[in-house]
Amino acid sequence: MEQPTRIGSYEIAEVLGEGAMGTVYIAHQQEPVQRTVALKVLKATDEPAEVLDRYETERQALAVMDHPSVARVFDAGVTDDGNPYVVMERVEGSSILRFSDEHRLTIRERLTLFAKVCHAVQHAHQKGVIHRDLKPEHILVSEVDGRPMPKIIDFGIATAADPEVFVRSRSESRDSVIGTPAYMSPEQINGYMSPEQINGLSDIDTRSDIYSLGIILYELLVGAAPFDVPTRAGWGAVAARIMSDPPTPTARFSSIDTQDTVADLRRTTPEGLRRELHDDIDWIVRRAMAKERTERYETAHEFALELERHLANQPVHAHPAGVRYAIRKFVQRNRIAVGSGTVIAAGVVLFAITTSVQAAQIERAHEEAEARRSQAETLIDFMLTDLYERLEPLGRLDILAEVGDEAVDYFVSVPPDGFTDAELASLSQAMYQIGDVRRDQGRLPEAGAAFEASLGLARALYDRDPADDDRLFELGQAEFYSAERYYEEQRYEEAFQGFSAYRDISNELVRRDPENLTYQLEVGFSHTNVGGVLHRTGDLAGALVEFEQALEAKRRVAAADPGPRRDRDIGQAHNFLGAVLRDIGRLDEAQLHFEADVEIKERLVAQAPQNAPDAFRLVVAMGYLADLQHARGDVARALDGHRVRREYLIPLVENDPSNLRWARNLSVVEAKQAHVLADTGEYGEAGRLIGPAVERLEELVDQNPDQPNWRADFVRALSVLASVRLMQGDLVEADRASAECLQVVIADLASFGDAAIVAAERELVRAEVLAASGRTAEAVEMNESAVDRLVPQAESSTDFDLLTTLATALLRLDRADEARSVLSSLEAMGYAAPEVVALREASLVR
């Protein structure tokens, strides 16, 4: 059919689209106003009476509706050929699915947009119109004042809900398809099935549109339709699928192959998207898509209100009622969203619990005691699951710590006999979780108190029932966290006792239940921890055995239960193995393990870029690799590694300033980066980095004097500062920094794990500054002191820092033969750092 140039008073510009019932043109109106419109002309048909009837329904339906999200009708008439037409608002935009993906709308933004669609459909229903063909292509979205605005189009197959208001279609043949099968309600499908297939459902009503809305919402959130159905054929297959229960959105998302892409289009991770879909959304969609329409939302307005309740963190009506659910929703809506970087108001959890259980209605003492137990149980459950699972990936220690402190205060207020054994077990878990948060914040004494409280509870519960596997398991967890505290305090004997107890418990659990993967994994962790203590105390052979057993155990569990968590476990095992192999002097093997660890963690970060702990783990893994690359002479790659580490750490620290462990690592990375830059002669860039790094580390040490590892980081950075300033010609600053550095070390030498190496390294830096200042005798004295500290340990050592420090001191004392012997050991192991090369060259001319 040839395109007309004019219809009535409208100039036809181009074809906008063509459907089963008509052709839509873009047209220009000149009078009484100038505007561009959409003009729809009825197609020729063999059954003109039926189609004309439906077209009249559309014209009348649009004419009585006045809603910002429903396309307006301006005019109607008949062409010269006798075909009716209707002139409508030209709606620009993309389908709701396409718009949402192109703009990467979050789940919250999609729900907000969809609530507007529901309100528009409600308007149509109030005007007596059922759309009957709601699908994404009939919901167009465009930006209005910077916000997405939906518009519903094409009421061409709408049925009048009230036959007295609109002319009802004279015939609705089962042979003519009215609607799109993929989005049809079961009662619509029944209208096109054979009599044997009809299950007794009557004619459609407004709840058919509710069902279609449910499918659209499902696809909008999940990125996949609930049913894989053809759109215009195969009615038997369509009916079989739609008449069955669809999978929940969470289950459907978990089954698709494009989880990473779908999650990214919603600005989250697959794990994050599953959390957002789980629970409320599953229940809401289930109700909207109920097979029996009496079980659906009665109106589109009710559907919209349900979505708005969810967005406001209020209990949704589709969710089964329950005290815990009501409490959780109360807590959620009374805390500021964690993504905004703000803090939960103090006391909100306690207030939420007290309000939710309606303590004011409890009159008798016995009931009050029962309420206290319920409150404690709910708070513990909240701490261990909802709050921690939401905040830990985001790295928000400030919020976790505040709620943890409130929890501790509450637990103290409850009488000891106010808890059941099950609640005390949960309390033990909560206490070591609270301790872990405090440790990351640098609050080591407070962390230790929480760990000890956890261990005391776990021991008491185990003593009551030693045969209970759960009690034994929790005792093992408590032993681990308590020992971890001692490890960080460098109290290695106590740490070894605790980790050994944890290993024995884990092995006993496996003996009791050999097929339990959780117990097998705990065995792997326990080998790692025991090996860590052996490594730090110099038993490299024993540490290697423990770390090899740890990797074997973790691989065995991962083979049976693959996933990101198991990948993290294997990466950690590679890291520990690499560290001990490096110190043994097997550098090629060490580098392979460090590279394997980095590769695993890079993959995890790519899969979940918003997971802050994974990003930090990658930073740590890259540090081990960069240090080894530097020691082996690959300075360029080492420098690049430190730069990338810094790029990861800066946003982490900005997002959670309360995480002092991250802040400390950022300064350590900058100090190492400055050290490598100085090796390459880039003193200006090195000096720019090292000054602020030293200042921050000094502040951290002042805030946390009980952290010996942090103090060691500070003195190492201070040494780098002294060396860089010396190379820059600033003897005054170099003298001040080197003197302060050595003073800090000597004043508390016993607190440093590698005391001899730490002190000798500082003495060498101080000696270099003294020599440059013309204080030769003092410089010689410092070099001799360094040699005296290191020679007793050097005979069988493979430690890079120790041997390079010793070789440097020997060479300065003109003991070139001894220096060359030490350097030969380093070179035999594969060390080729710039300082090693420089020392070798210097030794050859002595």
Side-chain angles (χ1 to χ4, degrees):
M1 179 177 175
E2 185 177 347
Q3 177 178 318
T5 59
R6 190 178 187 86
I7 296 177
S9 61
Y10 301 90
E11 295 178 2
I12 304 301
E14 60 181 288
V15 175
L16 182 61
E18 195 165 1
M21 295 185 60
T23 301
V24 182
Y25 299 99
I26 294 177
H28 301 299
Q29 181 181 4
Q30 301 300 326
E31 295 177 353
V33 295
Q34 293 185 354
R35 59 188 171 193
T36 301
V37 298
L39 189 151
K40 184 174 182 180
V41 179
L42 178 68
K43 274 188 176 181
T45 176
D46 295 331
E47 299 180 31
E50 178 182 351
V51 178
L52 285 171
D53 195 3
R54 292 196 178 280
Y55 212 84
E56 177 65 8
T57 299
E58 178 181 37
R59 189 185 70 79
Q60 294 184 48
L62 288 172
V64 299
M65 286 189 282
D66 182 17
H67 191 279
S69 290
V70 176
R72 290 175 293 166
V73 64
F74 299 133
D75 194 10
V78 179
T79 68
D80 293 338
D81 297 331
N83 291 327
Y85 67 85
V86 62
V87 181
M88 301 169 288
E89 171 186 6
R90 183 191 175 189
V91 180
E92 296 184 349
S94 306
S95 76
I96 190 169
L97 298 184
R98 183 174 178 180
F99 179 95
S100 299
D101 284 351
E102 287 178 344
H103 290 75
R104 298 182 71 235
L105 298 188
T106 64
I107 291 297
R108 185 175 188 84
E109 290 167 341
R110 290 169 190 249
L111 291 173
T112 301
L113 174 62
F114 196 80
K116 295 179 182 178
V117 174
C118 292
H119 285 302
V121 172
Q122 175 68 17
H123 176 78
H125 289 174
Q126 288 175 329
K127 297 298 182 179
V129 180
I130 306 168
H131 193 292
R132 292 213 305 176
D133 194 25
L134 285 170
K135 57 184 177 181
E137 292 75 16
H138 285 168
I139 304 172
L140 302 183
V141 184
S142 59
E143 283 194 344
V144 178
D145 296 329
R147 295 184 178 183
M149 175 61 70
K151 276 192 183 288
I152 302 175
I153 64 171
D154 204 346
F155 281 79
I157 62 169
T159 299
D162 184 350
E164 295 181 4
V165 177
F166 296 117
V167 178
R168 192 173 181 87
S169 176
R170 284 188 291 271
S171 73
E172 292 186 4
S173 168
R174 280 194 184 135
D175 295 329
S176 93
V177 177
I178 305 299
T180 305
Y183 298 93
M184 277 185 176
S185 65
E187 55 268 31
Q188 282 179 283
I189 294 294
N190 278 325
Y192 303 104
M193 291 164 62
S194 64
E196 299 81 49
Q197 292 172 304
I198 297 175
N199 67 356
L201 290 172
S202 60
D203 291 343
I204 66 168
D205 59 19
T206 56
R207 289 169 293 185
S208 288
D209 281 352
I210 301 298
Y211 188 95
S212 300
L213 287 171
I215 297 180
I216 298 169
L217 177 61
Y218 194 116
E219 195 169 356
L220 182 67
L221 301 180
V222 176
F227 307 105
D228 295 324
V229 298
T231 58
R232 296 191 178 275
W235 284 99
V238 171
R241 294 286 187 90
I242 294 184
M243 296 306 291
S244 62
D245 290 324
T248 65
T250 304
R252 184 74 170 100
F253 174 72
S254 298
S255 72
I256 63 177
D257 297 328
T258 56
Q259 292 181 33
D260 289 341
T261 301
V262 170
D264 182 66
L265 289 173
R266 287 146 182 79
R267 301 210 302 271
T268 185
T269 64
E271 291 180 358
L273 183 51
R274 273 190 288 273
R275 283 196 299 271
E276 291 193 76
L277 296 177
H278 180 62
D279 208 20
D280 276 4
I281 296 300
D282 285 341
W283 286 104
I284 290 171
V285 172
R286 180 182 298 178
R287 181 165 179 180
M289 293 181 60
K291 287 187 297 183
E292 299 295 332
R293 56 186 168 182
T294 56
E295 297 175 7
R296 297 175 205 153
Y297 295 106
E298 284 291 324
T299 66
H301 178 66
E302 184 184 354
F303 194 177
L305 291 180
E306 188 82 314
L307 296 174
E308 290 164 0
R309 276 190 287 270
H310 171 72
L311 290 169
N313 286 320
Q314 295 176 338
V316 300
H317 294 171
H319 194 290
V323 172
R324 285 195 178 189
Y325 175 68
I327 290 172
R328 189 169 75 248
K329 301 307 288 185
F330 187 98
V331 170
Q332 289 172 351
R333 70 177 177 271
N334 280 278
R335 72 171 185 258
I336 301 174
V338 295
S340 66
T342 53
V343 182
I344 296 175
V348 65
V349 176
L350 304 186
F351 179 66
I353 294 172
T354 304
T355 302
S356 299
V357 299
Q358 299 176 334
Q361 299 180 9
I362 304 176
E363 298 177 356
R364 293 182 301 173
H366 174 71
E367 291 173 333
E368 289 177 353
E370 289 298 317
R372 280 197 299 271
R373 281 195 289 271
S374 176
Q375 291 166 9
E377 180 183 1
T378 302
L379 181 54
I380 293 167
D381 180 67
F382 175 68
M383 279 287 302
L384 294 174
T385 56
D386 191 20
L387 185 68
Y388 194 83
E389 289 174 2
R390 287 174 183 268
L391 296 182
E392 197 266 347
L394 299 177
R396 294 309 311 271
L397 293 185
D398 51 349
I399 303 176
L400 283 168
E402 185 164 355
V403 176
D405 290 345
E406 293 287 343
V408 171
D409 292 342
Y410 182 73
F411 294 143
V412 170
S413 71
V414 177
D417 59 354
F419 297 102
T420 65
D421 281 2
E423 290 163 352
L424 287 173
S426 294
L427 175 55
S428 175
Q429 296 177 46
M431 292 307 295
Y432 66 61
Q433 188 178 87
I434 289 167
D436 200 34
V437 170
R438 290 174 173 175
R439 183 190 62 174
D440 282 351
Q441 286 188 306
R443 301 159 59 189
L444 209 54
E446 295 169 82
F451 290 148
E452 289 307 308
S454 172
L455 183 57
L457 285 168
R459 280 176 175 162
L461 288 168
Y462 171 73
D463 288 342
R464 293 182 201 175
D465 190 1
D468 189 310
D469 291 353
D470 291 337
R471 298 287 180 266
L472 182 59
F473 178 83
E474 287 305 325
L475 177 58
Q477 299 301 296
E479 289 279 13
F480 161 78
Y481 279 101
S482 179
E484 184 81 355
R485 168 259 187 112
Y486 293 129
Y487 183 83
E488 291 214 3
E489 292 177 340
Q490 297 184 2
R491 296 162 62 179
Y492 294 126
E493 183 176 348
E494 292 155 294
F496 184 78
Q497 292 175 355
F499 285 143
S500 296
Y502 167 50
R503 182 182 57 183
D504 293 343
I505 289 171
S506 299
N507 282 316
E508 170 61 18
L509 286 167
V510 170
R511 188 193 65 77
R512 294 184 183 185
D513 187 356
E515 302 303 316
N516 190 305
L517 293 179
T518 298
Y519 297 164
Q520 293 179 33
L521 188 61
E522 294 300 317
V523 169
F525 290 150
S526 69
H527 283 303
T528 296
N529 298 126
V530 172
V533 177
L534 295 175
H535 189 184
R536 292 300 295 269
T537 55
D539 185 355
L540 301 184
L544 180 61
V545 171
E546 294 289 339
F547 291 153
E548 287 174 339
Q549 291 178 334
L551 179 59
E552 180 183 353
K554 291 173 182 179
R555 280 176 168 165
R556 191 163 52 244
V557 173
D561 180 30
R565 291 185 177 180
R566 303 293 80 84
D567 290 341
R568 291 187 193 101
D569 299 336
I570 291 175
Q572 181 201 47
H574 279 299
N575 178 275
F576 281 102
L577 261 175
V580 74
L581 287 167
R582 174 203 60 202
D583 291 349
I584 289 174
R586 293 158 59 178
L587 302 192
D588 289 339
E589 296 173 74
Q591 184 155 330
L592 289 175
H593 282 290
F594 287 149
E595 288 172 345
D597 183 26
V598 169
E599 181 183 353
I600 288 171
K601 288 168 182 173
E602 284 180 335
R603 185 172 67 250
L604 291 171
V605 169
Q607 292 170 354
Q610 294 177 330
N611 189 306
D614 272 346
F616 180 72
R617 294 182 189 104
L618 174 58
V619 166
V620 173
M622 293 178 70
Y624 279 92
L625 180 58
D627 287 344
L628 183 59
Q629 289 168 335
H630 181 215
R632 303 191 77 181
D634 194 348
V635 178
R637 290 179 66 188
L639 186 58
D640 185 59
H642 289 314
R643 283 174 176 156
V644 174
R645 296 174 72 205
R646 184 168 181 266
E647 290 173 2
Y648 273 113
L649 277 168
I650 288 174
L652 291 179
V653 172
E654 290 175 348
N655 178 61
D656 188 3
S658 71
N659 194 321
L660 301 186
R661 186 160 63 125
W662 292 357
R664 163 214 177 191
N665 271 269
L666 174 58
S667 297
V668 169
V669 167
E670 290 175 337
K672 288 191 174 185
Q673 190 176 343
H675 175 56
V676 181
L677 285 166
D679 273 354
T680 61
E682 297 184 41
Y683 301 119
E685 181 66 11
R688 186 186 67 80
L689 283 172
I690 191 61
V694 168
E695 290 177 6
R696 285 195 297 270
L697 283 169
E698 187 171 20
E699 290 175 3
L700 289 171
V701 170
D702 288 342
Q703 295 172 20
N704 302 276
D706 299 309
Q707 294 271 16
N709 289 333
W710 295 24
R711 193 160 54 257
D713 293 333
F714 167 63
V715 298
R716 289 190 178 99
L718 201 55
S719 288
V720 175
L721 176 65
S723 296
V724 170
R725 294 292 182 255
L726 179 62
M727 294 299 102
Q728 291 178 316
D730 188 349
L731 285 178
V732 174
E733 178 63 9
D735 183 70
R736 183 204 65 79
S738 63
E740 179 186 357
C741 181
L742 186 58
Q743 182 181 5
V744 171
V745 172
I746 300 302
D748 191 18
L749 188 60
S751 71
F752 294 97
D754 300 318
I757 300 175
V758 172
E761 287 176 336
R762 307 298 78 78
E763 286 172 332
L764 285 193
V765 172
R766 180 63 180 155
E768 188 176 19
V769 174
L770 290 170
S773 302
R775 298 160 66 178
T776 307
E778 294 174 76
V780 170
E781 184 180 343
M782 284 290 166
N783 287 319
E784 289 175 342
S785 176
V787 170
D788 291 341
R789 292 184 192 278
L790 298 178
V791 165
Q793 303 182 44
E795 184 175 349
S796 59
S797 176
T798 55
D799 187 279
F800 172 77
D801 291 330
L802 187 154
L803 295 178
T804 53
T805 303
L806 177 58
T808 302
L810 289 169
L811 201 57
R812 288 179 182 176
L813 295 171
D814 291 327
R815 297 162 63 175
D817 290 341
E818 295 173 79
R820 280 193 291 271
S821 176
V822 174
L823 291 169
S824 295
S825 298
L826 285 167
E827 291 166 345
M829 288 183 282
Y831 286 114
E835 57 259 49
V836 173
V837 174
L839 287 169
R840 166 60 71 180
E841 292 175 352
S843 71
L844 295 176
V845 298
R846 295 294 178 92

